[in-house]
């Protein structure tokens, strides 16, 4: 007899719903890749540079692009590609030192203000407000006028100028962190305020601070390049990008654009890349925090 019930075959495999993969934004990824290449080029400058950065050849003055000089030469016949590669070292290390100094001061002041409150918070807030009202470039120039020009003075002066910005940001996120239950729990256990801040509160601010500092790196690089361009920062015969723009400015009237344009484009490209990648990094680090 024929069965009245239809044959039941094997149950179809149940496939889990696959969530659509989120595509990474192209611009931040490209910016991060470009910055990685810049850092690699700076580290490998002695291997990549075709000439010494300070090699002078007056017979090759203001040459255009060619086989011997891929990016041309400046008024002294120095190879622009070699100078840009070596200049990347100063242009990347100096902002890093600047932000390290600014972060040490700013994070300390911001954390103390948020933790102590009262008159301490008021005093720190007023100091940062005064620094905000005072033009940053004028403040830096005054320090350089007293202690002399040079990369060391520029880094210290800009570090002091950047510190209030970091202090205000640190205070805002530290106030939110201080209100969390774990802080009261540690205080009840008898842990001192200084120890709690060093071992728990400040480390918990690390992700947000790291993202914020990445965003500030481009601004720090531009500020140092500006000081070098004005003659207050790195001094000749260094291959600092800002100084190269200043030295190449005189060649423009002779119709040679490369001595100023090459380092200027390097500064602009790195600053834009840090801004694009920095904003993305700040968003991701803040979200994880």
């Amino acid at each position: 007899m024929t069965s009245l019930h239809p044959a039941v075959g094997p149950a179809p495999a149940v496939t889990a719903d696959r969530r659509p993969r989120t595509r990474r934004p192209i611009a931040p990824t490209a910016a991060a890749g470009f910055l990685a290449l810049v850092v690699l080029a700076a580290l490998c400058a002695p291997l990549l540079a075709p000439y010494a950065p300070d090699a002078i050849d007056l017979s090759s003055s203001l040459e255009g692009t060619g086989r011997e000089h891929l990016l041309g030469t400046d008024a002294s016949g120095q190879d622009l590609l070699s100078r840009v590669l070596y200049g990347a070292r100063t242009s990347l290390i100096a902002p890093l030192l600047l932000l390290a100094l600014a972060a040490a001061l700013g994070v300390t002041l911001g954390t103390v203000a948020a933790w102590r409150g009262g008159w301490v918070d008021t005093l720190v807030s007023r100091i940062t407000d005064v620094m905000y009202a005072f033009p940053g470039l004028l403040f830096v120039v005054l320090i350089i006028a007293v202690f002399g020009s040079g990369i060391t003075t520029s880094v210290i002066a800009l570090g002091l100028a950047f510190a209030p910005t970091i202090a205000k940001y640190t205070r805002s996120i530290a106030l939110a962190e201080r209100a969390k239950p774990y802080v009261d729990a540690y205080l009840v256990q008898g842990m001192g305020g200084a120890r709690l801040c060093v071992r728990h509160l400040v480390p918990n601010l690390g992700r947000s601070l790291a993202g914020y500092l990445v965003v500030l790196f481009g601004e720090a690089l531009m500020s140092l390049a500006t000081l070098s361009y004005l003659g207050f920062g790195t001094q000749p015969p260094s291959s600092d990008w800002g100084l190269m723009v200043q030295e190449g400015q005189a060649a423009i009237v002779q119709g040679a654009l490369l001595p100023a344009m090459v380092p200027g484009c390097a500064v602009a490209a790195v600053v834009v890349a840090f801004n694009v990648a920095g904003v993305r990094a700040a968003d991701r680090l803040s979200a994880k925090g």
Side-chain angles (χ1 to χ4, degrees):
M1 294 178 62
T2 304
S3 175
L4 298 177
H5 300 283
V8 179
V14 179
T15 58
D17 294 335
R18 294 184 178 179
R19 296 180 179 178
R21 294 182 178 179
T22 57
R23 299 178 61 183
R24 293 184 178 181
I26 297 178
T29 304
F34 171 73
L35 292 175
L37 290 177
V38 172
V39 173
L40 182 62
L43 294 175
C44 300
L47 301 176
L48 298 176
Y51 301 93
D54 55 353
I56 296 176
D57 183 8
L58 296 178
S59 62
S60 302
S61 177
L62 299 179
E63 283 192 1
T65 57
R67 289 185 177 181
E68 294 186 359
H69 304 284
L70 295 179
L71 296 180
T73 62
D74 59 13
S76 300
Q78 295 171 300
D79 184 69
L80 290 176
L81 176 60
S82 301
R83 298 197 70 193
V84 167
L85 289 173
Y86 276 93
R89 294 181 166 188
T90 304
S91 299
L92 294 178
I93 294 176
L96 191 63
L97 298 176
L98 184 162
L99 290 179
L101 173 61
L105 296 174
V107 172
T108 301
L109 289 175
T111 303
V112 170
W115 182 261
R116 295 297 300 271
W119 68 269
V120 176
D121 186 17
T122 302
L123 178 62
V124 173
S125 298
R126 294 298 174 269
I127 293 175
T128 55
D129 290 341
V130 170
M131 292 294 293
Y132 262 94
F134 200 79
L137 182 59
L138 180 58
F139 172 76
V140 172
V141 170
L142 287 176
I143 293 180
I144 292 176
V146 175
F147 296 100
S149 59
I151 186 63
T152 302
T153 308
S154 298
V155 167
I156 295 175
L158 284 172
L160 295 176
F162 273 68
T165 303
I166 299 176
K168 289 181 74 70
Y169 179 75
T170 302
R171 176 185 175 275
S172 65
I173 59 177
L175 285 173
E177 191 70 21
R178 194 190 189 288
K180 293 184 177 180
Y182 79 88
V183 175
D184 293 331
Y186 280 120
L187 291 176
V188 170
Q189 295 175 13
M191 181 177 290
R195 184 182 177 191
L196 194 156
C197 289
V198 172
R199 297 190 60 180
H200 299 284
L201 192 143
V202 173
N204 288 338
L205 305 179
R207 290 185 181 274
S208 298
L209 286 172
Y212 187 64
L213 291 176
V214 172
V215 176
L216 286 180
F217 191 95
E219 184 178 348
L221 191 155
M222 178 64 78
S223 299
L224 284 169
T226 301
L227 288 180
S228 296
Y229 173 80
L230 295 175
F232 299 131
T234 307
Q235 301 298 308
S238 174
S239 296
D240 179 82
W241 290 346
L243 180 62
M244 289 178 63
V245 174
Q246 189 267 341
E247 292 174 344
Q249 186 176 4
I252 295 178
V253 297
Q254 303 179 38
L257 302 179
L258 291 177
M261 188 174 67
V262 169
C265 289
V267 172
V270 172
V271 169
V272 171
F274 263 108
N275 287 340
V276 173
V279 170
R280 175 65 175 174
D283 292 341
R284 296 192 64 178
L285 290 172
S286 298
K288 291 181 180 179

